[in-house]
Amino acid sequence: MSGKTGAAAADTAVDADLEAMVQIMGRMFRGMKGRRAHEEAEELIGLVNAAGLGPRHVPVLIGLVLNGPVPVGVLARHMALSPATVSQLVGELQRGGFVDRRPDERDRRRMIVSLHEERRALVERFAWRRLRPLRMTLEALAPAEREHFLHGWRTLVEMMERAGEDDPLCGGISRGA
């Protein structure tokens, strides 16, 4: 078998896997937009928008569901963002009534961030509706499978970021590129 024939077979296999991936992602997105999840999302997003905030604030809320109450620096590490960015987002969320900040009792220089009690139940329902299937997936995989699964997701994100840098109109992806 010539190298060209092998490359063509590899391209065909990759194209078949790409089609499967697009189908799976479509099912995933449809699942995330289920009627009940959509209603909860609309309620939370409506409150976020009414407070003059946007989609970039929602990951902070989800981070607090997973890790809170925590200092801003710890939340920033969990989110892989700079402390300055997270501090700004937290300040905006506090002004919008979504989070509270209070001094750390052990170190009064640090501020502990937590979900505001009035918003806690809604934010937790919203977050866990999205996180539960991810957690169930990870629990269903053996440790080695989880490692491969997460490697695949990291690679996907890296390639999306790289493609976005290369060609903002079409993502820099072309067949056989």
Side-chain angles (χ1 to χ4, degrees), residues 23 27 40 45 53 70-72 81 88 94 98 123 135 154 163 171-172:
Q23 291 170 355
R27 288 177 58 200
E40 285 177 353
I45 299 305
L53 306 173
V70 291
V72 169
L81 294 172
Q88 177 184 352
Q94 183 180 20
F98 287 89
V123 171
R135 183 174 181 84
R154 286 183 189 104

Side-chain angles (χ1 to χ4, degrees), residues 61 64 69-72 75 90-91 93-103 111-120:
L61 298 174
L64 286 170
V70 291
V72 169
L75 184 59
V90 164
L93 284 163
Q94 183 180 20
R95 285 188 291 282
F98 287 89
V99 301
D100 291 318
R101 284 197 272 200
R102 62 175 166 68
M111 298 299 283
I112 302 296
V113 182
S114 60
L115 293 171
H116 190 286
E117 201 53 46
E118 289 181 21
R119 303 280 195 234
R120 178 182 309 284

Side-chain angles (χ1 to χ4, degrees), residues 11-171:
D11 282 349
T12 300
V14 168
D15 287 345
D17 290 344
L18 178 61
E19 183 178 347
M21 202 169 166
V22 168
Q23 291 170 355
I24 291 166
M25 290 177 76
R27 288 177 58 200
M28 182 182 74
F29 291 129
R30 283 190 298 277
M32 290 174 71
K33 294 179 182 178
R35 183 166 171 74
R36 220 166 126 208
H38 183 68
E39 290 170 0
E40 285 177 353
E42 278 187 349
E43 183 179 359
L44 180 62
I45 299 305
L47 290 170
V48 166
N49 290 337
L53 306 173
R56 70 190 194 109
H57 294 88
V58 175
V60 176
L61 298 174
I62 291 173
L64 286 170
V65 169
L66 286 173
N67 305 296
V70 291
V72 169
V74 172
L75 184 59
R77 277 194 303 279
H78 284 294
M79 296 181 66
L81 294 172
S82 75
T85 297
V86 174
S87 183
Q88 177 184 352
L89 293 169
V90 164
E92 293 164 354
L93 284 163
Q94 183 180 20
R95 285 188 291 282
F98 287 89
V99 301
D100 291 318
R101 284 197 272 200
R102 62 175 166 68
D104 185 341
E105 292 177 11
R106 292 174 294 187
D107 181 350
R108 304 296 283 174
R109 296 169 296 172
R110 290 192 328 173
M111 298 299 283
I112 302 296
V113 182
S114 60
L115 293 171
H116 190 286
E117 201 53 46
E118 289 181 21
R119 303 280 195 234
R120 178 182 309 284
L122 176 63
V123 171
E124 287 178 347
R125 276 193 315 273
F126 174 88
W128 284 115
R129 182 166 305 280
R130 281 144 188 83
L131 296 171
R132 191 171 294 113
L134 298 174
R135 183 174 181 84
M136 291 168 60
T137 300
L138 295 172
E139 289 172 343
L141 299 173
E145 292 171 318
R146 276 198 312 272
E147 184 178 332
H148 291 290
F149 181 78
L150 292 172
H151 174 74
W153 275 98
R154 286 183 189 104
T155 302
L156 173 63
V157 170
E158 289 169 12
M159 294 302 117
M160 290 174 76
E161 290 169 349
R162 188 178 305 164
E165 293 168 2
D166 292 344
D167 187 348
L169 295 177
C170 67

